[in-house]
Amino acid sequence: MMMDRRRISFWTRVGAFVLIVLFLATFLFAGLGTGLNIDFLQAFFKNRNQPAGQQHPQTVSAREQIRYAESYVKDHPKDPAAVFRLGYLYAQDGKMQDAERVLENGRKKFAKNPQIAMLLGDVYAQQAQSSSGKEQKELYGKAADAFVGASKVASSGDVARLYLAAGEAYQRAGQPGLAVKYWNKYLDKHPKGKQADQVRKQISDALHGGGTG
């Protein structure tokens, strides 16, 4: 039970970091600044490329945000930031299957965009948390694969954390061999990082059959 609680806490910290990275990355990517207190849609509509004189409400419902984002994706099919926004808004509204669909298509279309793959991994992980059995493991496996894909195209500062997230997701997917592989990759980059001792403990547990659940 104690180990299970530690794992839950560990995953929560990883997830929290991924979300922070996503917020920072999407604002930087879209050229909107880095103010995390800015309303998501307000930031979206304050883009410098917005036509002068076009007005939008300061506060809108989730449904309206999604409708605007859907329209924007249709009008700007080559904009990966638009795909990211729509996937994020779907996820925020609990429409996980829609988020998955949009982000999977986006990942295929924009293979070199790490933010889309990162968000897709987080969507799969959130779906897994509310699932069980075989389905849960499959979803964690998809989350891990998405994090690994993101790590291949992400900036160097994000790669280690993506390895950490991938390792934890693979572990929960019942694939301890792959979990150990990516935890070791994390340790190669951050041998003295804040999570290093805990990662070494989880590697030891996985290798000795104590962390495969």
Side-chain angles (χ1 to χ4, degrees):
M1 289 296 294
M2 182 60 71
M3 187 59 193
D4 286 343
R5 286 196 294 271
R6 282 201 298 268
R7 284 194 192 129
I8 291 170
S9 176
F10 181 64
W11 179 253
T12 299
R13 287 195 298 274
V14 171
F17 174 84
V18 171
L19 288 174
I20 291 170
V21 170
L22 288 171
F23 274 113
L24 288 172
T26 189
F27 287 135
L28 289 170
F29 186 78
L32 304 175
T34 58
L36 297 184
N37 61 331
I38 300 176
D39 176 80
F40 193 86
L41 191 65
Q42 289 178 9
F44 174 60
F45 284 125
K46 287 180 181 178
N47 191 310
R48 285 189 294 269
N49 294 326
Q50 181 182 330
Q54 187 173 351
Q55 300 297 320
H56 293 281
Q58 292 299 306
T59 302
V60 294
S61 68
R63 181 179 297 180
E64 288 175 312
Q65 293 183 44
I66 289 172
R67 181 168 59 84
Y68 290 140
E70 288 172 338
S71 177
Y72 194 88
V73 167
K74 289 180 181 179
D75 292 340
H76 302 80
K78 296 182 179 181
D79 185 355
V83 172
F84 178 96
R85 292 187 192 101
L86 180 56
Y88 170 83
L89 289 171
Y90 277 141
Q92 279 290 95
D93 198 41
K95 300 180 184 299
M96 292 301 181
Q97 291 186 342
D98 287 328
E100 177 186 334
R101 170 181 52 81
V102 167
L103 295 168
E104 276 287 8
N105 289 336
R107 185 168 66 158
K108 293 174 184 177
K109 189 173 182 179
F110 305 108
K112 294 184 179 181
N113 182 282
Q115 288 81 23
I116 290 175
M118 288 163 66
L119 182 56
L120 178 61
D122 195 61
V123 166
Y124 278 132
Q126 289 185 53
Q127 288 179 293
Q129 290 174 23
S130 59
S131 302
S132 61
K134 182 179 179 180
E135 181 184 13
Q136 183 180 63
K137 289 188 175 183
E138 288 177 350
L139 287 167
Y140 273 125
K142 289 181 178 181
D145 291 344
F147 290 138
V148 170
S151 74
K152 295 178 180 179
V153 292
S155 62
S156 59
D158 295 335
V159 170
R161 294 290 187 170
L162 286 165
Y163 288 156
L164 192 64
E168 183 66 16
Y170 277 131
Q171 179 71 351
R172 290 179 174 273
Q175 301 180 58
L178 285 173
V180 169
K181 173 182 177 179
Y182 286 98
W183 281 333
N184 277 322
K185 283 178 174 287
Y186 167 78
L187 291 176
D188 287 343
K189 287 189 170 291
H190 287 298
K192 296 182 179 180
K194 292 182 179 180
Q195 305 291 345
D197 288 342
Q198 187 169 355
V199 170
R200 291 188 182 94
K201 177 67 168 62
Q202 294 202 190
I203 289 174
S204 177
D205 288 340
L207 292 175
H208 291 88
T212 59

